[in-house]
């Protein structure tokens, strides 16, 4: 079979890979390969679907603000309902809320919190803070938007195509993905929990990326909060819940190191969370509709890794987004496009100073 030829081969069909493919396609020939039979199968399909401008370290906050601005532009031009307003309410002890609330959050009284979320039990928290700039996002619609935009601009997308070999000859890559041989000038590693493994396959030193489990479930409840009311999270990271069209989405917010794979909930995790939530809010949970576990992959700094590998000029990292994948996706895709093409950020409508700062903060170690 003849080899596919491209400027850039993206490994990974989650939000990171797809958003880059759609941003990069007007400037480069692109092939994207995904090992699973469908796109966005792992972490990208297991998101809380909340974009929180006050969540994360400063470089992440900046990328989140840029992503929200870019998504607003997409919605204005296409009419796609990618986001809806949904505030984020943080509750807990005074000390925990002080420690967890970012500068962009506004402290409110417990009485104000109860007015917004009457399901909460007054005795369960002493302090609260709110971010009213948060939005919920339709992750399926966003993934499909990037897929369609990439395909329309000529990106070749291959599913059920795991990378089994990769060789660099000094000028470019020879890769086999599934049954297809592919040659590319640059390989982009957007493989999520498998990113360090892909690097090893390519002969590139790892970044020390660690996948962490995060479980969630949709439950039915007699006192489910109405759609549009805030997402509620504990400042001690013991839970969050938010309204969902099917009931209530809940999570124990665990961060347990795990091996890359198709993560599943541990027996009893969701049931214990339901018991805990009953002490915090009167939701009246009546059943579990479905439960899942995703892997949030991070490096020790807690920041994503974006940029050319310091020891391998043909290998580009796009990984380690942790829990910030969707909320930074468009901003990171813009950054990566600038770094991969060498384009002037201003020509792409981006701010040069912001791009330079993000590139420095997220560069591979």
């Amino acid at each position: 079979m003849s080899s596919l030829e491209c400027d850039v081969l993206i490994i990974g069909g989650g939000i990171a890979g797809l958003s880059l493919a759609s941003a990069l396609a007007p400037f480069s020939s692109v092939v994207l390969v995904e090992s699973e039979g469908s796109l966005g199968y792992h972490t990208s399909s297991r998101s809380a679907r909340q974009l929180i401008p006050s969540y994360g370290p400063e470089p992440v906050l900046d990328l989140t603000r840029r992503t929200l601005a870019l998504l607003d532009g997409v919605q204005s031009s296409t009419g796609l309902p990618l986001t809806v307003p949904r505030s984020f309410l943080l509750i807990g002890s005074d000390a925990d809320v002080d420690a967890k609330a970012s500068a962009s959050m506004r402290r409110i009284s417990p009485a104000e919190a109860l007015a917004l979320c009457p399901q909460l039990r007054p005795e369960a928290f002493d302090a609260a803070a709110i971010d009213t700039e948060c939005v919920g996002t339709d992750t399926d619609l966003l993934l499909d938007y990037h897929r369609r935009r990439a395909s329309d601009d000529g990106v070749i997308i291959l599913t059920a195509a795991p990378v089994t070999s990769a060789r660099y000859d000094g000028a470019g890559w020879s890769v086999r993905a599934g049954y297809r041989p592919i040659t590319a000038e640059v390989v982009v590693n957007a493989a999520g929990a498998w990113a360090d493994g892909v690097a090893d396959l390519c002969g590139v030193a790892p970044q020390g990326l660690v996948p962490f489990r995060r479980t969630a479930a949709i439950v039915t409840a007699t006192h489910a909060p109405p759609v549009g009311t805030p997402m509620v999270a504990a400042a001690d990271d013991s839970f969050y819940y938010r309204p969902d069209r099917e009931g209530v989405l809940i999570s124990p917010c665990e961060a347990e190191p795990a091996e890359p794979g198709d993560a599943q909930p541990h027996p009893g995790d969701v049931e214990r969370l339901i018991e805990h939530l009953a002490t915090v809010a009167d939701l009246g949970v009546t059943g579990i509709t479905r439960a899942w576990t995703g892997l949030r992959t991070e490096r020790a700094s807690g920041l994503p890794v974006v940029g050319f590998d310091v020891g391998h000029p043909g290998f580009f990292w796009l990984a380690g987004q942790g829990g910030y994948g969707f909320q930074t996706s468009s901003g990171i895709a813009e950054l990566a496009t600038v770094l991969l093409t060498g384009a002037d950020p201003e020509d792409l409508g981006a701010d040069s100073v912001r791009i330079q700062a993000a590139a420095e903060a997220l560069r591979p170690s």
Side-chain angles (χ1 to χ4, degrees):
M1 178 175 293
S2 61
S3 177
L4 287 174
E5 298 181 0
C6 60
D7 298 325
V8 179
L9 170 63
I10 300 173
I11 301 174
I15 183 60
L18 282 171
S19 57
L20 175 60
S22 75
L24 186 60
F27 309 99
S28 304
S29 60
V30 179
V31 174
L32 181 148
V33 296
E34 165 58 43
S35 63
E36 300 292 348
S38 59
L39 299 169
Y41 177 81
H42 289 285
T43 300
S44 292
S45 66
R46 310 176 194 196
S47 166
R49 305 188 174 208
Q50 182 89 2
L51 311 185
I52 307 173
S54 58
Y55 177 48
E58 184 53 43
V60 166
L61 300 184
D62 183 67
L63 287 163
T64 300
R65 290 188 289 266
R66 181 57 178 163
T67 296
L68 289 173
L70 290 169
L71 292 181
D72 281 344
V74 172
Q75 292 183 118
S76 296
S77 63
T78 65
L80 291 172
L82 296 175
T83 65
V84 294
R86 185 167 61 219
S87 297
F88 177 75
L89 181 67
L90 191 68
I91 62 169
S93 68
D94 275 309
D96 285 343
V97 171
D98 279 342
K100 192 75 172 180
S102 70
S104 62
M105 297 190 79
R106 176 173 59 89
R107 285 290 294 261
I108 62 174
S109 69
E112 290 174 297
L114 289 168
L116 291 169
C117 301
Q119 294 82 12
L120 288 171
R121 299 189 186 279
E123 69 277 11
F125 65 103
D126 301 315
I130 193 165
D131 185 339
T132 57
E133 296 181 358
C134 295
V135 296
T137 183
D138 187 328
T139 54
D140 294 337
L141 188 61
L142 182 56
L143 287 166
D144 190 61
Y145 163 75
H146 287 307
R147 180 196 61 77
R148 286 186 291 104
R149 183 184 178 204
S151 295
D152 289 347
D153 281 337
V155 174
I156 297 172
I157 298 175
L158 304 177
T159 56
V163 173
T164 55
S165 67
R167 181 176 57 84
Y168 188 71
D169 64 7
W173 291 91
S174 297
V175 176
R176 180 166 290 275
Y179 64 90
R180 297 300 297 267
I182 304 168
T183 60
E185 293 181 14
V186 175
V187 162
V188 173
N189 183 3
W194 289 263
D196 268 355
V198 165
D200 183 62
L201 181 67
C202 293
V204 175
Q207 289 288 309
L209 296 163
V210 179
F212 292 91
R213 295 171 53 85
R214 176 61 57 89
T215 297
I218 300 292
V219 298
T220 53
T222 56
H223 302 140
V227 171
T229 54
M231 177 176 177
V232 178
D236 65 0
D237 289 328
S238 61
F239 71 85
Y240 67 71
Y241 72 84
R242 68 159 178 80
D244 184 86
R245 288 188 298 269
E246 298 178 71
V248 187
L249 186 149
I250 63 174
S251 173
C253 295
E254 85 274 33
E256 175 187 334
E259 292 296 318
D262 189 2
Q264 299 296 322
H266 289 323
D269 277 0
V270 175
E271 290 78 7
R272 284 188 291 273
L273 171 61
I274 291 170
E275 291 179 3
H276 176 58
L277 280 174
T279 69
V280 177
D282 181 18
L283 298 174
V285 175
T286 55
I288 302 169
T289 301
R290 65 181 184 278
W292 63 91
T293 299
L295 297 177
R296 302 149 58 97
T297 303
E298 303 176 8
R299 57 175 172 167
S301 68
L303 292 174
V305 52
V306 181
F308 282 101
D309 187 82
V310 294
H312 202 306
F315 190 88
F316 190 95
W317 289 90
L318 187 69
Q321 292 88 345
Y324 316 120
F326 275 98
Q327 73 178 51
T328 62
S329 56
S330 294
I332 284 182
E334 179 182 68
L335 167 64
T337 297
V338 170
L339 296 177
L340 285 162
T341 63
D344 185 334
E346 306 292 341
D347 292 341
L348 303 183
D351 178 80
S352 296
V353 174
R354 184 184 54 77
I355 288 289
Q356 184 176 356
E360 178 61 26
L362 274 56
R363 65 183 177 86
S365 58

